[in-house]
Amino acid sequence: MNQFPLKGLLLAKGIAKFAQKGGVRLGGIICNSRNVDREIDLLRAFAAELGTQLIYFAPRDNVVQRAEINRKTVIEYAPGSAHANEYRQLARAIDENTCFSIPKPMSQERLEQILLEYGLMDTIKDDYRI
């Protein structure tokens, strides 16, 4: 199972908790793709449920692992690669983002409904409740 929904749910709860006190806002969701079925659809639904946006979807590329093995960023390791350009576009998307929100709470049950709707819990046997 892609771990983003559970981590994202916890992060959204934390942002919502501190938004009232410290002015923290969520700028959106960023995905480093795992190249699984309906991944972008799931992310859009997850973002919409939280009341935010999908800022950027970076496709999967093995250059990321090669750069990590060489202890470099993708831009350091392969500055002219298509994936280095993806990260440049991501940086631009973050820098130019003007849409910030306080995420709406989502229950574990609602998260599971979304995962079921997009076919991502078909083979899960473990209990991932928070």
Side-chain angles (χ1 to χ4, degrees):
M1 177 177 148
N2 187 336
Q3 290 297 311
F4 105 83
L6 297 175
K7 290 178 184 177
L9 186 59
L10 288 172
L11 182 60
K13 286 181 179 181
I15 292 169
K17 178 180 177 182
F18 292 105
Q20 304 305 324
K21 294 179 184 178
V24 175
R25 299 293 184 265
L26 177 63
I29 304 294
I30 298 167
C31 175
N32 286 312
S33 177
R34 294 185 60 231
N35 199 28
V36 297
D37 294 341
R38 301 188 72 194
E39 184 174 32
I40 198 163
D41 298 326
L42 169 66
L43 288 159
R44 287 183 178 138
F46 182 72
E49 188 75 22
L50 291 176
T52 190
Q53 63 182 333
L54 177 61
I55 289 183
Y56 201 81
F57 183 88
R60 183 162 182 83
D61 192 312
N62 289 335
V63 73
V64 174
Q65 287 73 31
R66 289 192 291 274
E68 288 175 349
I69 289 169
N70 286 279
R71 297 182 179 166
K72 295 182 178 184
T73 67
V74 171
I75 292 175
E76 291 169 324
Y77 177 76
S81 69
H83 211 67
N85 287 332
E86 290 287 344
Y87 286 135
R88 290 181 187 101
Q89 291 173 19
L90 167 60
R92 193 173 306 110
I94 292 169
D95 187 52
E96 295 173 356
N97 181 34
T98 59
C99 181
F100 299 93
S101 63
I102 298 173
K104 295 182 283 187
M106 182 189 325
S107 68
Q108 179 71 29
E109 290 74 25
R110 179 62 185 133
L111 174 61
E112 289 173 3
Q113 288 173 345
I114 292 171
L115 293 171
L116 285 169
E117 182 178 340
Y118 291 93
L120 297 179
M121 286 188 64
D122 293 343
T123 60
I124 295 177
K125 296 178 183 165
D126 294 327
D127 186 354
Y128 288 95
R129 292 185 184 272
I130 297 173

